[in-house]
């Protein structure tokens, strides 16, 4: 690592809409479901509550329920969160859907295809200065989108994967999907010749 301070550029990964779910429909055997705008169902049973997140098959519209809470004591709920379930609060729909516990409990996986974007705008503005080379890019995940670093780096740099990999130094496994922040260093093209 050089002692010269590196220019640090931010890349941000964030969702552009809610991801779909891989969930086999019992009617039509399609494997894709959507939360649509997002709707909860809350059912009281004595002093216990069941909470589900409703999803629809994208092929036949059949509704399924994903368990969020099962016979949980009413007292265990934060009143604000409970209000959120009743109001179908969009942020609560998103955080519930992206909670890994929901996927595990209901044996579904999230399908992020086309549901996220990489924002390199701030980085690109700073990058136009030639004296900035080499630069460090810090990738921040605002949403837990699983993506292979090699793919993200190639996309962000606008290069082929091989070309991108030649230009970066990264201490993260590049082929293993991850959904948390990492950083890498980009060396200028002419310095590689
Ligand atoms: Zn269906």
């Amino acid at each position: 690592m050089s002692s010269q301070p590196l220019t640090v550029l931010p890349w941000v990964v964030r969702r552009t809409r809610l991801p779909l779910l891989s969930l086999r429909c019992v009617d039509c055997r399609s494997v894709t479901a959507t939360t649509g705008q997002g709707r909860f169902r809350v059912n009281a049973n004595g002093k216990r509550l069941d909470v589900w997140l409703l999803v629809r098959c994208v092929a036949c519209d059949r509704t399924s329920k994903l368990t969020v809470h099962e016979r949980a004591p009413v007292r265990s709920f934060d009143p604000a969160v409970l209000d959120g379930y009743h109001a179908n609060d969009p942020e609560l729909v998103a955080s519930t859907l992206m909670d890994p516990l929901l996927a595990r409990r209901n044996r579904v996986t999230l399908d992020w295809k086309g549901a996220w974007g990489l924002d390199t705008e701030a980085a690109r503005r700073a990058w136009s200065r030639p004296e900035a080379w080499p630069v460090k890019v810090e990738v921040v995940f605002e949403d837990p989108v699983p993506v292979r670093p090699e793919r993200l780096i190639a996309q962000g740099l606008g290069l082929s994967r091989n070309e991108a990999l030649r230009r970066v130094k990264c201490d993260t496994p590049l082929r293993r999907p991850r959904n948390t922040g990492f950083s890498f260093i980009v060396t200028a093209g002419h310095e590689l010749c």
Side-chain angles (χ1 to χ4, degrees):
M1 201 68 101
S2 136
S3 56
Q4 200 178 331
L6 288 172
T7 305
V8 178
L9 305 173
W11 283 7
V12 182
V13 174
R14 64 168 72 93
R15 68 187 164 88
T16 50
R17 59 167 169 78
L18 290 176
L20 297 174
L21 301 108
S22 296
L23 174 66
R24 188 173 286 282
C25 176
V26 297
D27 278 352
C28 78
R29 315 301 289 165
S30 160
V31 291
T32 309
T34 174
T35 54
Q37 294 295 310
R39 208 147 53 85
F40 293 105
R41 182 171 296 164
V42 180
N43 186 46
N45 194 333
K47 288 184 173 164
R48 291 178 180 269
L49 291 181
D50 288 314
V51 179
W52 297 280
L53 178 63
L54 304 185
V55 299
R56 281 183 294 105
C57 169
V58 296
C60 76
D61 235 24
R62 183 187 202 279
T63 301
S64 306
K65 298 188 294 188
L66 302 183
T67 301
V68 182
H69 294 286
E70 198 168 20
R71 303 202 186 293
V74 177
R75 280 176 314 164
S76 69
F77 287 86
D78 175 339
V81 173
L82 201 49
D83 285 348
Y85 289 135
H86 285 294
N88 301 314
D89 175 67
E91 283 307 311
L92 189 57
V93 169
S95 63
T96 301
L97 181 63
M98 291 187 287
D99 183 346
L101 192 61
L102 182 88
R104 274 208 299 278
R105 178 180 270 163
N106 295 279
R107 295 202 171 86
V108 297
T109 51
L110 298 184
D111 176 358
W112 280 100
K113 212 177 301 156
W116 63 279
L118 173 64
D119 182 355
T120 60
E121 203 43 53
R124 201 171 298 147
R125 280 198 298 274
W127 217 326
S128 58
R129 291 174 295 138
E131 73 274 20
W133 301 100
V135 296
K136 181 179 188 181
V137 176
E138 281 186 356
V139 186
V140 174
F141 285 69
E142 283 189 4
D143 296 289
V145 183
V147 59
R148 283 190 176 84
E150 62 172 9
R151 180 190 164 190
L152 200 70
I153 293 168
Q155 182 181 332
L157 297 178
L159 298 169
S160 72
R161 278 181 208 205
N162 284 342
E163 182 68 11
L165 295 185
R166 272 201 293 276
R167 291 196 185 195
V168 306
K169 289 191 193 115
C170 185
D171 47 16
T172 296
L174 289 166
R175 285 159 204 266
R176 194 182 305 155
R178 59 181 295 145
N179 59 12
T180 53
F182 67 95
S183 62
F184 60 94
I185 291 171
V186 191
T187 54
H190 69 267
E191 291 173 359
L192 295 173
C193 299

